[in-house]
Amino acid sequence: MTFVLGLTGSIGMGKSTTAGLFVQRGVPLHDADAAVHRLHRGRAAAPIEEAFPGTLVDGVVDRAKLGAAVLGKPEALKRLEAIIHPLVREEEESFVVRCRREGAALAVIDVPLLLETGGEVRCDAVLVVTAPAEVQRERVLARPGMNAEKLDAILSRQMPDAEKRRRAHFLVDTSRGLVAAERQVGSILMALAGRPGRGAAVRSSSDA
């Protein structure tokens, strides 16, 4: 039975880099952010334009326009999530079914708001990618178009890192550099080797 590992972490923590380390080792991975990008070009485009007129450009959702339409507007954000989340969930479910059918021992689902949305119930264990707050802010504020106000708005929607770490079965600290992150991922894979999927009671502090 496929063991489902939920991969999550707040903005700027290095989640995408960590996800890539699993892919490099041949682990199948479903990226919720990538699914959203696909949906913005496909099934979600029309309903998003209907809910937020003017956000569609050449048949594709313009992320900047959409972001401006929902940033700091909780009700607007809820409307958007009601459109996109069920579609992403469908893709995730299809991915897990395919992994089980193909006999994969491990499958990773990369979901930014996994814990905030109660998604841990769909996983056998949760991996939280983390880094010190000062490292996080430095990374995010270096991004084009980002500022402190936008960052604070994003963080207000995310569970505090300390709480995420408390709920995690595994941690990867990306502040130590890529080689250290690779070692941590390798340690996690060794810990999970041979673990049965669904409902497995895994509890480890593989943060070395």
Side-chain angles (χ1 to χ4, degrees), residues 91-171:
E91 293 205 2
E92 179 194 297
E93 289 175 349
S94 296
F95 163 78
V96 172
V97 168
R98 185 169 64 252
C99 288
R100 289 179 177 146
R101 186 172 60 242
E102 295 173 356
L106 173 66
V108 175
I109 57 171
D110 176 355
V111 184
L113 298 178
L114 182 75
L115 296 174
E116 288 86 344
T117 58
E120 67 270 25
V121 300
R122 308 195 302 273
C123 307
D124 294 298
V126 172
L127 162 60
V128 168
V129 183
T130 186
E134 61 272 17
V135 173
Q136 177 191 31
R137 292 192 72 87
E138 181 180 355
R139 288 172 176 173
V140 178
L141 292 175
R143 297 180 182 181
M146 183 57 69
N147 57 44
E149 182 182 5
K150 288 182 181 179
L151 174 56
D152 290 340
I154 292 169
L155 291 176
S156 71
R157 294 177 49 220
Q158 299 185 339
M159 184 182 294
D161 182 58
E163 177 62 15
K164 287 184 178 180
R165 285 188 277 111
R166 190 186 69 80
R167 297 190 184 193
H169 299 86
F170 300 100
L171 299 173

Side-chain angles (χ1 to χ4, degrees), residues 2 17 30 46 59 63 70 83 85 101 172 179 202 205 208:
T2 302
T17 298
H30 180 266
R63 290 173 69 89
V70 301
I83 295 168
H85 283 183
R101 186 172 60 242
V172 170
V179 172
V202 178
S205 57

Side-chain angles (χ1 to χ4, degrees), residues 3-208:
F3 189 100
V4 178
L5 178 65
L7 172 64
T8 193
S10 299
I11 185 172
M13 292 300 195
K15 184 174 60 62
S16 296
T17 298
T18 302
L21 296 176
F22 281 95
V23 173
Q24 288 173 19
R25 289 173 176 256
V27 179
L29 180 138
H30 180 266
D31 183 336
D33 278 341
V36 171
H37 280 283
R38 289 192 299 272
L39 290 165
H40 281 176
R41 299 190 300 269
R43 289 191 294 161
I48 287 176
E49 172 64 19
E50 183 177 352
F52 305 98
T55 55
L56 210 61
V57 177
D58 297 328
V60 178
V61 174
D62 185 301
R63 290 173 69 89
K65 292 179 182 294
L66 182 60
V70 301
L71 187 65
K73 303 171 185 176
E75 290 304 317
L77 185 59
K78 286 181 181 178
R79 290 203 307 275
L80 175 60
E81 290 174 342
I83 295 168
I84 203 76
H85 283 183
L87 298 176
V88 174
R89 177 74 182 277
E90 281 182 24
E91 293 205 2
E92 179 194 297
E93 289 175 349
S94 296
F95 163 78
V96 172
V97 168
R98 185 169 64 252
C99 288
R100 289 179 177 146
R101 186 172 60 242
E102 295 173 356
L106 173 66
V108 175
I109 57 171
D110 176 355
V111 184
L113 298 178
L114 182 75
L115 296 174
E116 288 86 344
T117 58
E120 67 270 25
V121 300
R122 308 195 302 273
C123 307
D124 294 298
V126 172
L127 162 60
V128 168
V129 183
T130 186
E134 61 272 17
V135 173
Q136 177 191 31
R137 292 192 72 87
E138 181 180 355
R139 288 172 176 173
V140 178
L141 292 175
R143 297 180 182 181
M146 183 57 69
N147 57 44
E149 182 182 5
K150 288 182 181 179
L151 174 56
D152 290 340
I154 292 169
L155 291 176
S156 71
R157 294 177 49 220
Q158 299 185 339
M159 184 182 294
D161 182 58
E163 177 62 15
K164 287 184 178 180
R165 285 188 277 111
R166 190 186 69 80
R167 297 190 184 193
H169 299 86
F170 300 100
L171 299 173
V172 170
D173 183 345
T174 62
S175 68
R176 308 177 190 177
L178 184 59
V179 172
E182 289 173 337
R183 285 200 302 267
Q184 292 169 79
V185 169
S187 176
I188 291 166
L189 290 174
M190 285 192 295
L192 293 179
R195 294 275 189 174
R198 292 314 321 152
V202 178
R203 199 75 198 173
S204 174
S205 57
S206 181
D207 59 350

